[in-house]
Amino acid sequence: MTPQRLLKRALDVLGAAVLLVVLAPLLIALAIAVRRNLGSPVLFTQVRPGYRGRPFTIYKFRTMRDATLPDGRPRPDEERLTPFGRRLRASSLDELPELWNVLRGDMSFVGPRPLIMEYLPRYTPEQARRMDVLPGITGLAQVSGRNALSWTDRFRLDVEYVDRWNLWLDARILWRTVAAVLARDGISAEGHATMPPFLGGAPAAGVPHGCTHGKRPASRSAMILPVMSS
């Protein structure tokens, strides 16, 4: 590991540890709010591919009801996303539990958003390069349009981040993340409560990534605190 990578990891650990302590009252308050509005469990957990595709469990606050169709499949996001969940997603506060993933080394503050395991065989070799670094809470794609981006643009920006990475780029992304979270831009794709799924190959324009909450295929994306949705 290069000195810059070691420093990035040290900053991740320090930042996540400090934020988990400082934000503990907020995390507790959010957990209570989720419990009152959506019931148990409070956390949404899902296995996602991390560095080089290694699976890990991501943690977020739930934003959707557990509602299924007669055949057992989850109902569409539009039917499961509650007004409370919309507000939580819009604020990106549902992403705060990912600080634990950063502390554990599953994720970094900055990097391509982790998508879902089902997408792995659908990537082209170029798209798969997005997994050559740790996934992040926020990333270049998240501060450049978030879920309003097409799949083509999202993957292009993810790979661009991998190729251009340095600590200064991370600092700029974190700064732009604050503005993106406050503006609440790109929270969902046009015409969708979250986003449609990635079907593989060369993505069509206007089709962003398909993570969902609850028992759904999942990331929104990103954040210093999140904006991360995704």
Side-chain angles (χ1 to χ4, degrees):
M1 188 178 287
T2 66
Q4 272 208 100
R5 295 286 183 186
L6 286 172
L7 180 55
K8 176 181 172 76
R9 178 59 190 148
L11 291 172
D12 279 343
V13 171
L14 178 61
V18 169
L19 287 173
L20 282 169
V21 172
V22 171
L23 298 177
L26 176 60
L27 289 165
I28 293 171
L30 288 171
I32 293 172
V34 172
R35 177 68 176 81
R36 287 178 175 174
N37 285 273
L38 296 173
S40 295
V42 167
L43 293 178
F44 163 75
T45 62
Q46 188 177 59
V47 176
R48 301 276 181 90
Y51 177 65
R52 297 292 171 87
R54 289 199 294 262
F56 73 96
T57 300
I58 195 170
Y59 298 94
K60 301 183 183 187
F61 284 121
R62 283 180 60 215
T63 60
M64 293 189 182
R65 298 182 299 112
D66 288 331
T68 59
L69 296 168
D71 61 5
R73 290 182 295 114
R75 289 188 175 277
D77 290 349
E78 291 79 1
E79 297 181 23
R80 297 188 297 124
L81 188 60
T82 66
F84 168 79
R86 289 182 188 276
R87 292 193 298 271
L88 194 58
R89 285 172 57 87
S91 70
S92 292
L93 292 174
D94 61 315
E95 308 277 359
L96 285 178
E98 290 171 43
L99 290 170
W100 177 245
N101 288 117
V102 175
L103 188 63
R104 284 170 45 91
D106 301 323
M107 297 176 64
S108 175
F109 275 103
V110 183
R113 286 293 295 168
L115 301 181
I116 58 177
M117 298 298 292
E118 287 85 342
Y119 291 174
L120 289 180
R122 303 177 191 174
Y123 292 151
T124 65
E126 179 70 5
Q127 291 165 354
R129 292 180 55 220
R130 68 192 303 279
M131 295 183 293
D132 286 348
V133 296
L134 281 175
I137 293 179
T138 186
L140 185 58
Q142 281 62 54
V143 299
S144 303
R146 203 171 172 181
N147 293 331
L149 290 174
S150 69
W151 278 111
T152 300
D153 289 339
R154 177 183 297 274
F155 288 130
R156 175 181 56 78
L157 289 166
D158 287 344
V159 173
E160 180 181 336
Y161 172 81
V162 172
D163 291 339
R164 291 178 49 203
W165 178 81
N166 57 60
L167 290 173
W168 174 239
L169 177 59
D170 276 4
R172 289 168 56 198
I173 290 171
L174 287 173
W175 177 252
R176 290 173 60 187
T177 291
V178 176
V181 170
L182 293 176
R184 302 189 177 188
D185 289 333
I187 295 167
S188 60
E190 186 175 354
H192 295 269
T194 52
M195 64 284 296
F198 170 56
L199 301 178
V207 184
H209 94 30
C211 280
T212 47
H213 279 230
K215 294 181 181 177
R216 45 180 179 134
S219 176
R220 300 166 356 121
S221 144
M223 328 156 283
I224 175 173
L225 308 190
V227 109
M228 303 83 242
S229 1
S230 339

